[in-house]
Amino acid sequence: MEIVVDRSKCEGLGMCEAMAHEFFEVQDDGSMVVLDEQPGDEHRQTVSAAVDACPVLALALKG
């Protein structure tokens, strides 16, 4: 599984970080950093919930 970010949509709202802080981090400037772009399948439920929580649909999962 791979986390894909559409940077043109991301507004740094932090819903992903709130749902899965071990995979997403919003920086002071509002940019979002993916801490682990290819998490193991054991994290699928957590990462999927964080992706689904993005209000601007900037996140997706591949694989």
Side-chain angles (χ1 to χ4, degrees):
M1 152 176 73
E2 180 181 356
I3 299 170
V4 180
V5 182
D6 183 339
R7 300 273 173 205
S8 69
K9 291 182 178 179
C10 182
E11 296 181 4
L13 299 172
M15 295 302 294
C16 56
E17 182 180 30
M19 299 289 292
H21 62 87
E22 60 269 43
F23 299 101
F24 304 95
E25 184 176 287
V26 177
Q27 304 296 298
D28 290 338
D29 67 359
S31 64
M32 189 271 295
V33 175
V34 178
L35 302 174
D36 183 356
E37 293 180 359
Q38 296 184 327
D41 280 337
E42 67 273 18
H43 301 291
R44 184 173 293 276
Q45 185 175 0
T46 300
V47 174
S48 183
V51 166
D52 291 345
C54 180
V56 295
L57 306 175
L59 299 171
L61 289 179
K62 219 194 278 191

